[in-house]
């Protein structure tokens, strides 16, 4: 631990106090099975392989990896982030991380509980938890107003302070930043309605095959897209499907919207400006994996 502390502190000494840090983890496949860290884990393609894990904190302005850990390949990266941020304090004589940026894989109330209780300042891309959806509902009317427009960007943003109840029955303060993008909405609507209309054409053009497969055996009846049509006994190849407008409206309600959550108070503009630079850590991983003869 002595040399690690000296080594990482030498790197950290170069950083401004306000440096943002991106956090992420990756797995590196290896045939060096004798290495103790090379353990069987699930790779990016879903199959098991010998691998080891690498986690990094990278300065978003300096583009410098400032802290790393190597882990056994059978440890999932989602469990590593609290340990990494706490280790930062330990190595740096309690110097605080100004803020760390994490992708949506780390989004959970359990992680937010750890972040809040330790005073960690993080911004995490959000998943659709109920308290996030509630914030989106509140934001819908605001996101069409000029005051929510983010100058220099092609989207609108609004911030809400929330206090979700955690597993320990306590409430902690978080900030949900909700955004609306016309471009994202257009892409999502085009993809959804093209898929829906294609399904309707397959339905009305369906014919029994030569083996005498009956209407009730039609595979289209098991499609998840059936939830967007009324259950009126329509027969494939004979009766047109009638859209369930309420189901479609509910599904498309949040098209074009996305969120991130922070443990510290900041504006929607600041949160997005910080999060957008997160790709620097992906480039760091790519450089390490691709620019050496490995």
């Amino acid at each position: 631990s002595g040399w690690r502390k000296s080594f990482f502190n030498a790197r950290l000494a170069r950083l401004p106090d306000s440096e943002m840090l991106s956090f992420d983890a990756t797995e590196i496949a290896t045939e060096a099975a004798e290495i103790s860290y090379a353990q069987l884990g699930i790779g990016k393609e879903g199959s098991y392989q010998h691998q080891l894990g690498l986690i990094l904190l990278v300065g978003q302005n300096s583009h410098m990896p400032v802290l790393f850990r190597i882990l056994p390949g059978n440890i999932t990266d989602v469990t590593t982030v609290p340990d990494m941020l706490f280790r930062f304090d330990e190595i740096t004589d309690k110097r605080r991380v100004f803020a760390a940026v994490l992708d949506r894989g780390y989004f959970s109330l359990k992680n937010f509980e750890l972040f809040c209780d330790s005073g960690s300042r993080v911004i995490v891309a959000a998943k659709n938890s109920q308290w996030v959806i509630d914030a989106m509902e509140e934001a819908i009317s605001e996101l069409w107003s000029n005051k929510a427009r983010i100058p220099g960007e092609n989207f609108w943003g609004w911030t809400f302070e929330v206090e979700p109840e955690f597993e320990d029955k306590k409430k902690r303060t978080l900030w949900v930043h909700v955004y609306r993008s016309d471009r994202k909405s257009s892409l999502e609507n085009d993809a959804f309605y093209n898929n829906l209309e294609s399904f309707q054409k397959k339905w009305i053009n369906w014919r029994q095959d030569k083996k005498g497969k009956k209407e009730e055996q039609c595979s289209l009846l098991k499609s998840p897209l059936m939830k967007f049509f009324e259950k009126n006994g329509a027969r494939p190849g004979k009766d047109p499907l009638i859209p369930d407008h309420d189901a479609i409206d509910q599904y498309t309600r949040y098209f074009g919207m996305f969120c991130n959550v922070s443990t510290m108070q900041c504006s929607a503009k600041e949160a997005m400006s910080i999060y957008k630079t997160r790709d620097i850590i992906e480039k760091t991983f790519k450089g390490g994996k691709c620019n050496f003869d490995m």
Side-chain angles (χ1 to χ4, degrees), residues 1-9 91:
S1 59
W3 73 264
R4 290 186 180 90
K5 191 164 186 175
S6 299
F7 177 70
F8 290 128
N9 269 299
I91 287 176

Side-chain angles (χ1 to χ4, degrees), residues 38-192:
Q39 299 290 329
L40 281 174
I42 299 177
K44 297 295 185 185
E45 297 178 356
S47 58
Y48 280 91
Q49 62 185 17
H50 278 99
Q51 62 186 25
L52 41 89
L54 172 65
I55 55 179
L56 285 177
L57 278 171
V58 176
Q60 294 194 168
N61 295 320
S62 64
H63 297 184
M64 185 170 67
V66 295
L67 189 64
F68 71 84
R69 287 195 70 194
I70 298 174
L71 299 170
N74 57 352
I75 294 180
T76 58
D77 60 359
V78 173
T79 64
T80 61
V81 57
D83 177 70
M84 185 66 153
L85 297 181
F86 303 154
R87 185 64 57 91
F88 186 95
D89 292 349
E90 176 185 308
I91 287 176
T92 60
D93 293 322
K94 306 304 178 184
R95 172 178 168 172
R96 304 300 299 169
V97 175
F98 178 71
V101 185
L102 313 173
D103 70 20
R104 68 197 305 267
Y106 301 98
F107 181 93
S108 71
L109 274 179
K110 184 61 178 177
N111 274 345
F112 278 119
E113 178 183 332
L114 294 168
F115 298 147
C116 291
D117 291 351
S118 66
S120 298
R121 298 158 57 92
V122 301
I123 298 176
V124 187
K127 294 181 180 178
N128 284 343
S129 295
Q130 186 57 53
W131 52 276
V132 173
I133 293 173
D134 291 342
M136 292 170 71
E137 279 294 327
E138 288 191 59
I140 283 180
S141 60
E142 300 289 354
L143 290 177
W144 295 92
S145 66
N146 186 63
K147 61 184 177 182
R149 174 75 182 177
I150 299 179
E153 301 289 354
N154 59 0
F155 50 82
W156 286 252
W158 202 254
T159 298
F160 291 91
E161 182 179 314
V162 299
E163 290 188 333
E165 185 175 294
F166 288 72
E167 293 178 9
D168 60 2
K169 304 303 180 183
K170 294 181 180 179
K171 291 186 176 182
R172 295 169 176 83
T173 302
L174 299 170
W175 286 265
V176 180
H177 312 281
V178 187
Y179 305 92
R180 178 182 69 82
S181 164
D182 287 338
R183 183 180 301 172
K184 187 173 187 292
S185 175
S186 177
L187 290 172
E188 291 177 335
N189 274 290
D190 285 349
F192 174 74

Side-chain angles (χ1 to χ4, degrees), residues 274-285:
I274 292 167
Y275 192 83
K276 282 173 66 177
T277 59
R278 190 191 164 278
D279 70 328
I280 186 63
I281 198 166
E282 302 295 345
K283 294 173 182 174
T284 305
F285 282 140

